[in-house]
Amino acid sequence: MASAVSENVETWKAKLDKILHEKNFANDTLEKIEQKTGVRRLYIALGLLAFLGLYLMIGYGAQFVCNFVGFLYPAYASIKAIESHTKDDDTKWLTYWVVYALFSLIEFFADIFLFWIPFYWFLKCCFLGYCMAPTAWNGSHTIYNRAIRPIALKYQDRIDTALDKASDAIHEVFGLAKQTAGEYAGGVAEKMATEAAAEAAKRHIVDSSKTD
């Protein structure tokens, strides 16, 4: 049992170390710190993660920090996925954002109960980290495939029908509004033209009486 746990830990450390050697701004910064301190960037990153976890438990503004972590890296990775020519990374981060949106919706309605959960922002940050973990079956893939996908496929036809009806209703409302606006504008223009003609006729009569 202990050997299996140790093996899993070493596997995760190897994966994290590989990620920390990818070329990006954060890793370049870690490389500079590594060169100045002589400490492996893996241990620097683990230290930062430990500090972040402690701050999320007792620090001020933990909610902002948690939401910032859950948004910043996925947003950056999503931009890279958009600019790349492969489809796998697009699917990965689209899946994350679907799960993130669902979790945010649930969190909004359950906000009154979350206050009573100890270290909630730390637990939420761990959950979001699990959802964005660089593994084949991370949290977002697991939740999507086991919970969201079956429900979405089951009710897909009904949802599409409802969306089509809503779209038709919106187009009908906008079309009616456009027609009404056109008729109103035409009526206003006609009224203004009539008033202008009447005013011109009135002036003509006044000028004629002055001439006589």
Side-chain angles (χ1 to χ4, degrees):
M1 180 66 180
S3 60
V5 173
S6 177
E7 184 178 350
N8 288 331
V9 171
E10 291 300 323
T11 302
W12 277 99
K13 286 174 63 176
K15 289 181 179 180
L16 179 59
D17 191 58
K18 182 180 179 181
I19 294 172
L20 294 175
H21 281 81
E22 294 178 355
K23 283 294 180 181
N24 54 54
F25 174 77
N27 289 343
D28 291 343
T29 304
L30 286 175
E31 183 180 4
K32 293 178 182 178
I33 298 174
E34 182 181 34
Q35 291 174 353
K36 290 183 178 180
T37 60
V39 180
R40 285 181 59 189
R41 69 183 72 181
L42 174 64
Y43 299 123
I44 296 173
L46 291 175
L48 291 174
L49 289 175
F51 173 78
L52 176 63
L54 183 62
Y55 186 87
L56 288 169
M57 291 181 186
I58 60 175
Y60 177 78
Q63 179 179 1
F64 171 78
V65 173
C66 175
N67 292 330
F68 186 73
V69 171
F71 173 81
L72 182 63
Y73 176 72
Y76 172 71
S78 298
I79 293 172
K80 290 184 65 177
I82 292 171
E83 298 300 326
S84 70
H85 299 288
T86 59
K87 181 176 179 288
D88 292 342
D89 50 0
D90 296 346
T91 303
K92 173 184 176 181
W93 291 110
L94 277 173
T95 304
Y96 172 83
W97 289 116
V98 169
V99 174
Y100 183 88
L102 177 63
F103 181 81
S104 298
L105 184 64
I106 296 173
E107 186 181 44
F108 175 80
F109 288 104
D111 182 64
I112 190 173
F113 304 107
L114 302 180
F115 177 79
W116 300 100
I117 301 178
F119 310 127
Y120 172 73
W121 301 114
F122 170 73
L123 296 174
K124 178 183 176 180
C125 195
C126 291
F127 170 75
L128 294 177
Y130 171 55
C131 287
M132 68 177 81
T135 58
W137 289 97
N138 57 23
S140 56
H141 281 80
T142 301
I143 295 172
Y144 175 79
N145 286 303
R146 293 187 179 181
I148 300 175
R149 187 172 182 270
I151 297 175
L153 293 179
K154 182 178 180 180
Y155 297 101
Q156 183 176 5
D157 294 337
R158 296 182 185 180
I159 295 173
D160 289 340
T161 301
L163 290 175
D164 290 340
K165 289 182 179 179
S167 179
D168 293 339
I170 292 173
H171 281 93
E172 184 177 350
V173 169
F174 274 100
L176 181 61
K178 184 177 180 180
Q179 181 181 356
T180 304
E183 292 175 354
Y184 176 77
V188 171
E190 183 178 355
K191 182 179 179 181
M192 291 177 63
T194 302
E195 290 177 352
E199 185 68 23
K202 182 178 178 181
R203 289 179 180 176
H204 178 72
I205 294 172
V206 172
D207 292 341
S208 298
S209 62
K210 288 181 180 180
T211 304
D212 293 341

